[in-house]
Amino acid sequence: MAGNLYGYVRVSTQDQNEERQMVAMRQLAIPRKNLFLDKQSGKDFARAEYQKMVKRLRRGDLLYIKSIDRLGRNYEEIQNQWRILTKDKRVDIVVLDMPLLDTRRGKDLMGAFLSDIVLQVLSFVAENERSSIRQRQAEGIAAAKARGVRFGPPASALPDGFEELRQAWREGRITLREAACACDIPKSTFYDAAIRTERAKKP
């Protein structure tokens, strides 16, 4: 008896658009309840929707993914999950962008051998691309910092009279608590703002 159709979609961040993958899944007439979407890194498989899907999969079901890097980007983890799905749970998998990765075909020894080779190569490529992305991000951040770009949330505007109160505190005329109360901000916030101001004043 034929099993159920499932689709798995993944994008790396909340901002990325999953529509291209969703269009491919809808064309396959996969029931909406059987479509699972994660907006999370592919570095591992600790993803809520993926884990929920795996629990629902049964022997004879068919799982579609758009490309192997949508499944994950960790070489060993991809291999392990593929084994769990196809060997332990006896689910078939179709990778739409790579027709050779269709476990419904090639059930003989040669077909399985070719599929294993393709899977290993694509898994390696997926992890290598993840490493390249991290390296490009690190290089981009370093270059931006060298240009003076500051990262993180913008500093809050300082309250009126802050500079006079900072000087009075530094000169010992008032306490840190008194200075912070006069600005109506916590002591830690006043102190951090004072340090930032003083560092900015240094040549």
Side-chain angles (χ1 to χ4, degrees), residues 162 165-166 169 176 179-180 183 185-194:
F162 172 83
L165 291 164
R166 182 192 67 79
W169 166 61
L176 176 61
C183 290
I185 59 176
K187 286 194 303 182
S188 59
T189 302
F190 182 93
Y191 180 82
D192 290 343

Side-chain angles (χ1 to χ4, degrees), residues 6-101:
Y6 286 84
Y8 180 69
V9 172
R10 184 187 69 80
V11 290
S12 297
T13 68
Q14 292 291 331
D15 297 331
Q16 289 185 343
N17 192 333
E18 71 277 6
E19 187 57 24
R20 185 177 70 91
Q21 297 177 66
M22 283 296 192
V23 167
M25 298 301 164
R26 286 195 287 265
Q27 291 175 345
L28 296 166
I30 298 172
R32 183 65 188 87
K33 66 178 182 178
N34 291 350
L35 278 177
F36 293 83
L37 164 66
D38 277 311
K39 293 192 174 187
Q40 192 173 339
S41 167
K43 65 180 181 179
D44 57 43
F45 284 84
R47 309 177 215 135
E49 291 300 304
Y50 178 82
Q51 293 298 330
K52 187 187 300 183
M53 179 189 71
V54 170
K55 289 180 180 178
R56 283 184 52 185
L57 289 170
R58 297 291 182 267
R59 179 172 182 166
D61 288 343
L62 177 59
L63 171 62
Y64 286 96
I65 57 176
K66 189 73 172 69
S67 58
I68 198 67
D69 63 339
R70 298 304 88 200
L71 184 62
R73 285 191 179 275
N74 180 296
Y75 179 81
E76 291 185 0
E77 288 285 349
I78 292 173
Q79 303 285 322
N80 185 48
Q81 288 297 314
W82 192 274
R83 179 190 60 77
I84 290 172
L85 295 172
T86 61
K87 306 298 183 185
D88 298 350
K89 298 189 75 73
R90 308 299 291 271
V91 170
D92 276 314
I93 305 176
V94 175
V95 179
L96 296 173
D97 286 353
M98 181 51 63
L100 283 174
L101 284 180

Side-chain angles (χ1 to χ4, degrees), residues 141-180:
I141 290 171
K145 285 182 176 179
R147 296 194 305 270
V149 176
R150 297 183 63 181
F151 292 87
S156 300
L158 297 175
D160 292 338
F162 172 83
E163 182 57 24
E164 292 79 5
L165 291 164
R166 182 192 67 79
Q167 291 179 4
W169 166 61
R170 282 303 192 190
E171 293 169 2
R173 291 185 278 121
I174 59 175
T175 66
L176 176 61
R177 179 186 295 276
E178 290 170 338

